[in-house]
Amino acid sequence: MGTDSKPDLSNGNTYPAICRPWGMNTWMPQTGKMGDGWAYQYSADKIRGFKQTHQPSPWMNDYGQFAIMPITGKRVFAEDARASWFSHKAEVAEPNYYRVYLADHDVTTEITPTDRAARFRFTFPKTDSAYVVIDALNQGTGSYVKVLPEQRKIIGYTTRNSGGVAQNFKNYFVLVFDHDFTSNVIFKDDALVPNVLESQSAHAGAIVGFKTRKGEQVQARVASSFISPEQAELNLKEIGDQDFEAVRQQGRTAWNQALSRMDVSGGTVEQQRTFYSCLYRALQFPRKVYELDAAGKPVHYSPFNGQVLPGYLYTDTGFWDTFRALFPLLNLVYPDINSEMQQGLVNDYKESGWLPEWASPGLRSVMVGNNSASVVSDAYLKGTRGQDIELLYQALLHGANNAGPMPAVGRAGVDYYNKLGYVPYDVKVNESAARTLEYAYDDFAIYQLAKKLNRPKKEIELYAKRSQNYRNLFDKSVGLMRGRNKDGSFVSPFSPYKWGNPFTEGNSLHYTWSVFHDIQGLIDLMGGRKKFVATLDTVFALPPTFDESGYGQVIHEIREMQIANMGQYAHGNQPIQHMIYLYDYAGQPWKTQYWVREVMNRLYLPTPDGYCGDEDNGQTSAWYVFSTLGFYPVCPATDQYVLGAPLFPKAIIHMPGGKDVVLNAPKNSAANRYVNALTVNGKPYDKTWLSHEELLKGAVLDFDMSATPNKQRSTAINDAPYSFSKPK
């Protein structure tokens, strides 16, 4: 799902990730040339190798990568020379297992992984010219391989990366085969070198040979480490002496345990496939980058300072995307994993002096906002423990009041924001309006955590006040958010259709809704509920007109909005994904129910083009998972989820404390998308929100679904979800 993508149009930008839930190493078939972020494209005809990958996004590209490729016939190394035609008809892709037939070599390759290791199984024809290529890749500071024929082993390292690493960065690998080598040759830069067992060069690799009978299987155990060659050998013990099928079954069990925290039943086969495909994607990020030492204790290579240090570390996530729904999903259903992630954030701060906003594997300067505040606060407020919350709170204060070493760390424009209450457009801080709106929400998250930690009253009040800075960008003359200059004037000329400039990958119609914590305040600014709903309606009613001049080209996010046939609604990018749920705040929840179902029906499919934009580190998938259940975390760092309408006749969330949340909607169907009535634990319930704390206790929600909207239910101001501003 999502693999039929390209740079100018994303249908997900995913790849078949062969891994364990949150596993450190992922494997993938590689169709693209080395260095191409679109390393697997569904429309491709050839596979160039099987790559260990840590790529979170094609735009971020990869690190800690090397490739393995079986070949027959002529001994070749170059990726184009070794490539083979393949067909999806002879390909099987499961989370824990991958198989494909390589037609040019008459070889079937199978892969099954653990967290940090993998088993390969190559089925060769009858030949004395069966080979396996190990490519440690070029770039970085070079690569290294050494062949140890007596041990049937190859060791080495790759340094290839895309940034965010310390100077001594290496990914050490080890491969152990179950067959003796009949030949071996080293690759050095552009040539094969015989009679040599090791190479340290700009581009190193090796080819080992076998003589095989028809159908003979050559197997390899593979592992890698960011720490040392010795640690790579330790990581290989994840496999031990287990055969291929045992490792495959273990992976299947691991995935089923993670996926079966949620049971959905009814609906169509396609809807079930989409649900679990989305959940599979959501449970890949952020991924482990810690390893287990000889005593079984967590240790990690620090991408910030290059040292090996104790404790957890997770990476490959951008909080600009994932604070919205991915981390709330972890807090609701997988808090045990998020406890490790939060402990890892403590180590991020200790080792770099900052919390990452985009990590891959270290600090990266991508996107805007200071949304680590949301990720830290939401976890603690929802009961995740084990982290040093006092140190993390200090990290939030540090990030909120300082510009970082790069624009996407800390707060760019912080002096202006703290003094003027917004980041001005004309002071050479890009995407100033997006930053202002996100900083204001992030200040709310800090305010919420400050209250929980009983911080001084003056400090609590400061962040409460700053959380209202969104008001400084609202222009009543147009009823939308606008960029603003240092002198207080709004940026002119203004077009609601103009992407970029003061906004990030969106326009004013998308970003006006980024007031997650104070929708009532936004309703008041717009002049009341009627005008607020009319503006929401406008987003869907307007044609997909756009002005790309802020970018100088039509970026893929614009094109994805244009072709979706939902007006200005741009679900393929994150800023507007919560907007559908805002009808609940204005007394028209049936419109939330209508549009949520429209998005699920039209923009998500269990197909290679099944997403409607970038599937960024599980966020767009987490939106679907929540929305199918019937509720969504509009404002992380509060206790509330905003109600929509369930997709399935029945869903059960097996909560971490052992309780179940059961969602019954027996009359649910394609026609019956509206909630006529709801009872919670047998009692009538008219609120348009659910409490996290109450769900943890276990609950039974019975939805009476209908083909027509109930316009009398849940319309009172007191039924609406939390807003910072008290209803007026």
Side-chain angles (χ1 to χ4, degrees):
M1 181 171 166
T3 58
D4 185 12
S5 298
K6 53 191 177 182
D8 52 353
L9 185 69
S10 174
N11 290 309
N13 273 340
T14 66
Y15 50 83
I18 311 140
C19 58
R20 293 281 178 94
W22 305 287
M24 183 175 97
N25 296 336
T26 296
W27 288 88
M28 69 181 299
Q30 182 187 342
T31 64
K33 292 203 172 191
M34 191 51 62
D36 182 354
W38 285 261
Y40 179 95
Q41 286 183 295
Y42 191 80
S43 58
D45 302 311
K46 289 186 176 183
I47 285 175
R48 291 180 161 85
F50 301 93
K51 186 171 82 157
Q52 180 188 276
T53 179
H54 300 91
Q55 178 171 295
S57 156
W59 308 105
M60 302 298 287
N61 218 294
D62 210 346
Y63 66 94
Q65 54 198 310
F66 60 96
I68 298 170
M69 182 68 176
I71 59 172
T72 56
K74 193 177 175 188
R75 195 160 55 180
V76 292
F77 186 87
E79 61 177 345
D80 287 348
R82 72 192 188 217
S84 170
W85 281 77
F86 81 107
S87 166
H88 297 300
K89 298 177 185 67
E91 182 189 39
V92 174
E94 298 171 0
N96 65 307
Y97 172 75
Y98 181 83
R99 182 178 78 232
V100 71
Y101 176 66
L102 301 170
D104 289 317
H105 304 301
D106 192 20
V107 177
T108 296
T109 296
E110 298 170 276
I111 310 170
T112 190
T114 66
D115 276 350
R116 301 169 187 85
R119 260 195 170 280
F120 278 71
R121 186 162 67 187
F122 307 109
T123 304
F124 282 103
K126 182 181 188 307
T127 178
D128 57 4
S129 304
Y131 302 103
V132 175
V133 176
I134 297 89
D135 188 346
L137 311 183
N138 60 345
Q139 293 188 349
T141 54
S143 48
Y144 170 76
V145 295
K146 183 176 183 178
V147 181
L148 303 161
E150 303 80 17
Q151 300 177 54
R152 301 170 169 173
K153 184 185 287 189
I154 299 165
I155 61 172
Y157 64 74
T158 174
T159 63
R160 189 180 181 110
N161 67 83
S162 305
V165 298
Q167 284 217 292
N168 65 346
F169 171 80
K170 290 183 175 72
N171 188 237
Y172 301 92
F173 57 79
V174 54
L175 296 85
V176 181
F177 290 84
D178 68 344
H179 279 51
D180 290 335
F181 305 154
T182 56
S183 66
N184 54 266
V185 64
I186 287 293
F187 179 82
K188 184 173 182 179
D189 298 332
D190 296 319
L192 293 175
V193 184
N195 306 317
V196 175
L197 290 177
E198 67 181 314
S199 170
Q200 184 175 4
S201 58
H203 189 174
I207 305 176
V208 292
F210 309 94
K211 184 176 181 180
T212 54
R213 304 180 305 278
K214 180 176 172 59
E216 186 169 357
Q217 293 180 336
V218 173
Q219 300 203 31
R221 294 176 296 132
V222 187
S224 75
S225 168
F226 295 108
I227 293 172
S228 67
E230 296 77 16
Q231 182 66 45
E233 296 273 3
L234 267 180
N235 292 346
L236 199 57
K237 291 184 177 179
E238 290 184 354
I239 295 174
D241 58 3
Q242 297 174 104
D243 66 15
F244 189 96
E245 291 304 328
V247 175
R248 181 182 177 186
Q249 188 55 48
Q250 274 193 352
R252 186 177 180 85
T253 300
W255 272 109
N256 276 336
Q257 283 176 344
L259 295 169
S260 65
R261 296 266 187 106
M262 298 191 201
D263 290 330
V264 298
S265 52
T268 65
V269 172
E270 287 74 18
Q271 287 167 341
Q272 291 217 12
R273 285 177 175 166
T274 305
F275 178 86
Y276 284 110
S277 293
C278 283
L279 188 54
Y280 147 76
R281 173 73 181 180
L283 302 189
Q284 292 172 37
F285 302 101
R287 65 163 62 92
K288 297 168 184 171
V289 75
Y290 73 87
E291 305 173 50
L292 299 174
D293 67 13
K297 295 272 178 32
V299 291
H300 63 271
Y301 166 83
S302 172
F304 311 108
N305 60 29
Q307 297 174 27
V308 177
L309 296 163
Y312 295 110
L313 206 69
Y314 282 75
T315 191
D316 294 331
T317 186
F319 292 159
W320 184 82
D321 306 289
T322 54
F323 86 85
R324 303 164 195 270
L326 188 277
F327 276 94
L329 180 66
L330 297 176
N331 288 328
L332 179 65
V333 190
Y334 307 93
D336 48 338
I337 291 292
N338 199 20
S339 173
E340 290 187 5
M341 295 171 182
Q342 297 292 320
Q343 291 173 63
L345 286 174
V346 172
N347 291 326
D348 286 326
Y349 182 57
K350 285 179 176 176
E351 293 159 30
S352 75
W354 301 89
L355 290 176
E357 301 300 336
W358 230 116
S360 180
L363 303 176
R364 301 296 291 274
S365 198
V366 182
M367 308 315 290
V368 302
N370 181 216
N371 299 307
S372 54
S374 177
V375 172
V376 168
S377 300
D378 193 51
Y380 192 78
L381 291 164
K382 287 179 179 163
T384 298
R385 295 294 183 267
Q387 68 275 48
D388 183 344
I389 192 61
E390 296 294 341
L391 187 64
L392 282 177
Y393 182 77
Q394 292 306 316
L396 297 191
L397 295 189
H398 177 65
N401 291 289
N402 293 279
M406 51 189 80
V409 176
R411 292 191 180 182
V414 65
D415 292 339
Y416 293 108
Y417 176 82
N418 287 352
K419 183 179 177 185
L420 299 175
Y422 61 95
V423 180
Y425 176 76
D426 56 350
V427 295
K428 297 185 177 171
V429 178
N430 69 331
E431 300 164 313
S432 57
R435 291 183 194 275
T436 299
L437 293 168
E438 292 190 30
Y439 293 168
Y441 163 69
D442 298 329
D443 284 331
F444 169 80
I446 295 171
Y447 155 76
Q448 289 283 84
L449 184 56
K451 286 192 297 180
K452 183 77 172 176
L453 297 178
N454 295 314
R455 300 293 300 178
K457 185 182 177 192
K458 189 175 177 184
E459 188 172 289
I460 293 169
E461 288 174 347
L462 173 67
Y463 289 95
K465 184 181 177 206
R466 285 184 185 172
S467 79
Q468 296 300 290
N469 282 342
Y470 73 88
R471 297 173 179 273
N472 297 325
L473 294 191
F474 188 81
D475 179 3
K476 290 196 174 181
S477 72
V478 296
L480 298 168
M481 298 290 178
R482 285 178 70 171
R484 199 167 182 182
N485 293 315
K486 189 179 172 185
D487 66 4
S489 62
F490 285 108
V491 176
S492 292
F494 171 72
S495 166
Y497 307 115
K498 185 170 183 178
W499 285 59
N501 285 132
F503 301 107
T504 302
E505 296 177 0
N507 61 32
S508 178
L509 288 164
H510 306 145
Y511 259 95
T512 290
W513 316 106
S514 291
V515 188
F516 314 93
H517 57 295
D518 198 11
I519 299 303
Q520 184 60 49
L522 184 60
I523 290 171
D524 296 340
L525 285 175
M526 286 189 175
R529 283 179 157 198
K530 192 173 178 184
K531 287 187 178 177
F532 179 82
V533 167
T535 311
L536 286 171
D537 291 344
T538 298
V539 172
F540 297 108
L542 287 168
T545 305
F546 59 84
D547 173 356
E548 78 280 19
S549 61
Y551 288 103
Q553 61 179 337
V554 178
I555 61 173
H556 73 96
E557 290 90 350
I558 295 175
R559 190 69 71 208
E560 288 143 17
M561 177 196 79
Q562 182 197 22
I563 65 176
N565 192 25
M566 294 186 81
Q568 289 289 320
Y569 183 70
H571 191 82
N573 209 21
Q574 282 67 38
I576 204 169
Q577 286 181 351
H578 67 295
M579 167 245 170
I580 287 172
Y581 286 90
L582 302 188
Y583 287 106
D584 278 13
Y585 294 77
Q588 296 195 17
W590 59 91
K591 288 185 177 176
T592 289
Q593 295 156 23
Y594 173 83
W595 284 113
V596 166
R597 183 69 67 93
E598 285 296 294
V599 170
M600 290 192 287
N601 284 350
R602 290 158 60 175
L603 303 185
Y604 289 83
L605 295 165
T607 55
D609 64 345
Y611 291 106
C612 57
D614 279 354
E615 202 311 299
D616 282 315
N617 313 114
Q619 164 56 30
T620 299
S621 292
W623 185 96
Y624 186 88
V625 170
F626 268 118
S627 294
T628 59
L629 298 173
F631 56 93
Y632 185 78
V634 167
C635 186
T638 65
D639 177 62
Q640 294 184 2
Y641 303 96
V642 178
L643 279 163
L647 181 66
F648 294 101
K650 185 162 190 173
I652 304 173
I653 311 171
H654 301 292
M655 302 296 281
K659 305 284 189 180
D660 286 349
V661 174
V662 181
L663 303 121
N664 295 312
K667 291 197 283 186
N668 218 338
S669 68
N672 293 350
R673 68 173 64 181
Y674 297 105
V675 178
N676 183 54
L678 169 63
T679 64
V680 176
N681 297 329
K683 297 177 182 174
Y685 191 84
D686 284 339
K687 308 288 186 196
T688 55
W689 53 271
L690 299 170
S691 159
H692 175 83
E693 196 175 335
E694 292 302 312
L695 291 182
L696 290 183
K697 298 174 185 174
V700 177
L701 284 75
D702 290 296
F703 292 87
D704 176 30
M705 304 300 289
S706 167
T708 54
N710 181 342
K711 296 187 179 181
Q712 276 67 54
R713 183 184 164 272
S714 305
T715 59
I717 283 182
N718 287 339
D719 294 333
Y722 171 88
S723 283
F724 180 91
S725 298
K726 291 186 173 68
K728 295 181 175 57

